[in-house]
Amino acid sequence: MTLMFFNGGAMRGEPLHHLLEGSPFVSAAKTAPKYRFYAVGEQCPALYPVSHGGAAVTGEVYDVSLDSLRDKVLPSEPHELELGVVELEDGSSAFAMLLRRPYTSHVALRDITEIGDWRAYRASA
């Protein structure tokens, strides 16, 4: 079982959800309050782990096979993101896409940590 936390375009009802075809939905979830949350060029969200000043971020957890991760999910991710591991609010861990460290893109970042939810941010924009 490969648990993966999604907090953007691959969630249910979003345009990239088809990438998760065959990957069972496990649960709605939040991260532990250890992340800053950014809109990357207004196109996708990104988590960034911090030691203080973080917040919980809303998303969904799926059981994604390594083959699907390799063949579908990772090739669709923007180069500003990289695969990492996040802590969920229940203390468990899951893979997730994190803001690449160091951040080398020229795409603008907007801090949306206070909103903590990609859908809510997009609805407010």
Side-chain angles (χ1 to χ4, degrees), residues 7-10 14-16 38-46 76-78 80-81 103 107-110 112 118 121-122:
N7 60 307
E14 297 297 321
L16 298 176
Y38 296 95
V40 180
E42 301 299 321
Q43 299 299 311
C44 68
S76 71
E77 294 292 344
E80 289 86 5
L81 304 181
Y103 185 70
V107 175
L109 297 178
R110 179 182 299 232
I112 59 172
W118 181 244
Y121 169 70
R122 289 185 45 222

Side-chain angles (χ1 to χ4, degrees), residues 7-75:
N7 60 307
M11 292 189 298
R12 292 174 293 175
E14 297 297 321
L16 298 176
H17 186 69
H18 68 276
L19 297 172
L20 301 179
E21 184 177 343
S23 298
F25 173 79
V26 175
S27 67
K30 286 189 175 187
T31 65
K34 297 181 176 183
Y35 302 91
R36 300 301 295 175
F37 193 44
Y38 296 95
V40 180
E42 301 299 321
Q43 299 299 311
C44 68
L47 293 166
Y48 189 80
V50 294
S51 57
H52 55 55
V57 175
T58 300
E60 298 174 348
V61 176
Y62 289 82
D63 182 0
V64 179
S65 73
L66 290 175
D67 291 346
S68 289
L69 186 62
R70 179 194 64 216
D71 297 338
K72 295 179 185 177
V73 176
L74 293 178

